[in-house]
Amino acid sequence: MIRNVMHPALSTRVVARASTQRIVAKLTNYRHYYHVASTRRFSTTEVEEATADTNCSAQTENQAPLRSKPISILESLPVTFADISRANVAIRNGVMRTQCKKSYFLSELLGANIWLKTEFQQFTGSFKERGARNAIMQLLREQGEELKRYGVIAASAGNHALALAYHGKDLGVPVTVVMPTVAPMAKVDKCRKFGATVIIEGEHIGESKDFAEKMVASKGLSYINGYDDPPIVAGAGTIGIEIIEDVPCVDVVICPIGGAGLIAGISCAVKTLKPDVKVYGVEPEFAASYSAALKSGEPVPVKVTPTLADGLAVPMVGAHAFEVARHYVDECVLCTEKEVSLAILRLLENEKMVVEGGGATGLAALLPGAQLDRPELKGKNIVVPLCGGNIDTTVLGRVLERGLAADYRLTNFIATVSDRPGGIGRLTTLLGDMGASIKDMYHERAFLHSNIDHVKVKCVVELQGKEHAMELRKALIENGYDPVWDDDSQKMI
């Protein structure tokens, strides 16, 4: 009997989730819904009727449901909402339910109501725990004690390896992770502390995966793909259920894309519960594998170059994940390295959140001048999953400096000054009078082909922003220094 079974998340959020309850009430009732999902899928008509009156007061227009796919097509996909519902029940006692926190500062900056889904607060620092636990639990149901004898294996440079190692230990399943030589040592050490067998093999994740697949056949291990196995996608999709529960007035979800497992799961859950929500994907311009798959109609390999969003640097999206995502995701856009560094800086300064590059790409696409800085998104209720926070301290320092440079708060220029006593002193006095803090200064005498009494001085200065940089440049020109600025600074004039 299931009459007396109540989803535990509902009991503590009854008041906050009045709109969610209206959805649930029209789909029979909430507790029955999640149990029945394992044997029955609701039709498009049922879901649309159930979600028709869930708009918050902030939403001023009714949008037609975006999903018009025949229900037979959606039910035949590698991952369905039924799979996500079962995963939600399976992992709820072993994975943290993260907050959807509204950001006052980012809402003011971006002209919309911004909610941040703090997945970087998971124990191992990323959303990957959801899929890892769900995948191991499903294999345990299928293989039982045999899985505990042989174990599982995966190829990963970081977050998936950490999640699998932690939850494998918790569930009593041996874990082997194959990591490329470029994997951060901090993540390698954490995997070992969680009891995983760590093998360093391959210059990149592709070579690591090839090695891991050979071990599957030779040692009887079960391979778990970090972004394409259906249980992994279903586990990631539980984030979508929580988004609808915690922010029932959501209009837009903006999700990072690497292998496409995360956005496949989230978009399936969100669009099933509230079809009028728009789902945007964001991937780094240096690893645009999902965009390439959309153009080709199927996953294709692309050239990947080093990026700040290293967790998203996947050369080819997963076939299962792509098949699901392309039916639900409305649009995919790219973000630049400059935008990623700025997003990390904004989160650290305004929200006191340390997020890795891949986890910040959703916000990066929303920043002023980025591809989702659009009039139609102003005033909307937007949820941005921050999917990971595992960034090395040394990398964080470099990323923050890039963010400061992109924000015109750290800039450099070359000025020609007199080589007579007091020449550089007059320049530094001017910089001080203009409120510029000198971070570094370098003399160059040999490569100046002009007056022998002059030298080049390269200065790195800390400023207050773009307007301050423009004022400083004007003052330097007026005082005869004829400064040469870096390329980005030149563009602001």
Side-chain angles (χ1 to χ4, degrees):
M1 297 292 289
I2 61 173
R3 290 193 302 272
N4 297 323
V5 179
M6 175 64 74
H7 193 290
L10 181 62
S11 62
T12 60
R13 297 176 174 85
V14 173
V15 176
R17 296 184 190 167
S19 296
T20 308
Q21 287 178 321
R22 287 198 294 273
I23 296 176
V24 170
K26 291 191 177 184
L27 290 173
T28 308
N29 64 50
Y30 191 83
R31 59 186 180 275
H32 186 61
Y33 173 57
Y34 275 106
H35 287 272
V36 171
S38 62
T39 57
R40 172 178 174 267
R41 298 177 178 89
F42 295 98
S43 69
T44 304
T45 302
E46 288 177 298
V47 173
E48 289 176 0
E49 288 177 353
T51 58
D53 64 345
T54 61
N55 293 337
C56 295
S57 58
Q59 190 170 4
T60 58
E61 60 180 353
N62 293 321
Q63 297 175 327
L66 295 172
R67 196 188 70 194
S68 57
K69 306 284 184 182
I71 193 67
S72 58
I73 294 178
L74 300 178
E75 288 183 339
S76 66
L77 294 177
V79 177
T80 67
F81 184 70
D83 300 315
I84 297 172
S85 300
R86 286 192 292 269
N88 193 51
V89 174
I91 70 173
R92 64 189 177 191
N93 293 325
V95 173
M96 178 188 298
R97 184 191 179 99
T98 56
Q99 291 181 313
C100 263
K101 177 185 176 184
K102 187 173 182 180
S103 169
Y104 171 82
F105 297 104
L106 294 176
S107 297
E108 288 291 313
L109 174 67
L110 304 177
N113 300 308
I114 306 297
W115 274 269
L116 304 174
K117 179 69 169 165
T118 56
E119 283 298 298
F120 64 92
Q121 292 182 330
Q122 296 288 353
F123 183 79
T124 62
S126 84
F127 79 97
K128 292 285 189 178
E129 289 193 25
R130 296 172 181 267
R133 189 172 186 88
N134 188 49
I136 294 175
M137 293 182 73
Q138 182 163 319
L139 287 172
L140 278 171
R141 289 193 295 270
E142 295 171 355
Q143 301 180 23
E145 292 300 315
E146 185 176 347
L147 185 72
K148 292 186 176 183
R149 184 163 59 251
Y150 292 104
V152 298
I153 187 171
S156 169
N159 289 341
H160 178 55
L162 286 169
L164 208 60
Y166 173 67
H167 286 282
K169 181 179 180 180
D170 185 54
L171 296 170
V173 175
V175 173
T176 301
V177 290
V178 183
M179 308 182 78
T181 55
V182 295
M185 287 308 301
K187 294 181 180 180
V188 174
D189 291 340
K190 281 185 178 180
C191 287
R192 290 195 173 111
K193 288 179 180 177
F194 289 144
T197 300
V198 178
I199 301 173
I200 306 298
E201 184 70 34
E203 295 184 2
H204 53 76
I205 191 64
E207 292 183 359
S208 299
K209 182 180 178 183
D210 291 341
F211 183 85
E213 288 175 342
K214 292 177 182 178
M215 293 187 66
V216 170
S218 63
K219 296 195 175 183
L221 304 173
S222 297
Y223 186 81
I224 299 179
N225 187 298
Y227 54 82
D228 196 43
D229 281 2
I232 292 288
V233 176
T238 61
I239 297 173
I241 293 177
E242 293 178 11
I243 287 174
I244 295 297
E245 289 176 344
D246 294 344
V247 190
C249 59
V250 59
D251 300 309
V252 178
V253 176
I254 300 176
C255 181
I257 298 181
L262 175 62
I263 196 168
I266 288 180
S267 62
C268 176
V270 168
K271 291 275 193 173
T272 301
L273 290 173
K274 195 174 181 187
D276 61 333
V277 174
K278 278 188 171 288
V279 178
Y280 293 92
V282 183
E283 57 184 352
E285 60 181 354
F286 292 159
S289 55
Y290 185 82
S291 297
L294 288 176
K295 291 178 182 178
S296 301
E298 61 181 359
V300 293
V302 299
K303 181 181 179 181
V304 172
T305 55
T307 171
L308 294 176
D310 57 336
L312 306 181
V314 177
M316 186 169 72
V317 296
H320 294 131
F322 176 71
E323 182 63 21
V324 176
R326 71 187 184 93
H327 284 86
Y328 291 105
V329 177
D330 294 283
E331 185 180 351
C332 176
V333 301
L334 304 180
C335 65
T336 66
E337 296 295 284
K338 176 180 177 180
E339 290 159 357
V340 173
S341 61
L342 269 175
I344 295 173
L345 180 63
R346 294 284 180 265
L347 289 167
L348 184 60
E349 286 190 325
N350 296 325
E351 305 299 329
K352 307 302 181 283
M353 296 176 177
V354 178
V355 179
E356 63 185 89
T361 54
L363 177 62
L366 277 171
L367 294 176
Q371 290 199 26
L372 292 181
D373 181 21
R374 302 175 179 177
E376 63 266 27
L377 295 183
K378 301 303 179 185
K380 298 294 185 180
N381 300 305
I382 302 175
V383 176
V384 182
L386 303 177
C387 58
N390 290 317
I391 184 170
D392 286 349
T393 306
T394 53
V395 174
L396 179 61
R398 294 197 295 269
V399 170
L400 291 180
E401 286 198 336
R402 289 191 181 193
L404 290 170
D407 210 21
Y408 300 106
R409 291 156 60 188
L410 187 67
T411 189
N412 67 78
F413 63 89
I414 297 174
T416 302
V417 303
S418 171
D419 200 21
R420 302 290 185 180
I424 292 179
R426 285 189 289 273
L427 173 62
T428 58
T429 299
L430 175 62
L431 293 176
D433 291 342
M434 292 300 299
S437 176
I438 300 173
K439 187 175 179 66
D440 196 8
M441 182 176 281
Y442 172 75
H443 294 71
E444 180 54 68
R445 290 184 171 87
F447 299 98
L448 181 63
H449 305 292
S450 60
N451 195 314
I452 193 66
D453 293 332
H454 288 77
V455 295
K456 284 183 178 180
V457 178
K458 182 175 181 179
C459 299
V460 180
V461 295
E462 294 178 348
L463 304 172
Q464 297 174 9
K466 185 174 181 178
E467 291 184 3
H468 191 193
M470 294 175 69
E471 292 173 1
L472 176 61
R473 187 177 191 276
K474 182 180 178 181
L476 289 168
I477 292 173
E478 290 176 348
N479 283 270
Y481 288 106
D482 191 24
V484 177
W485 294 71
D486 60 32
D487 291 340
D488 286 339
S489 298
Q490 284 280 20
K491 294 174 185 177
M492 70 184 181
I493 303 300

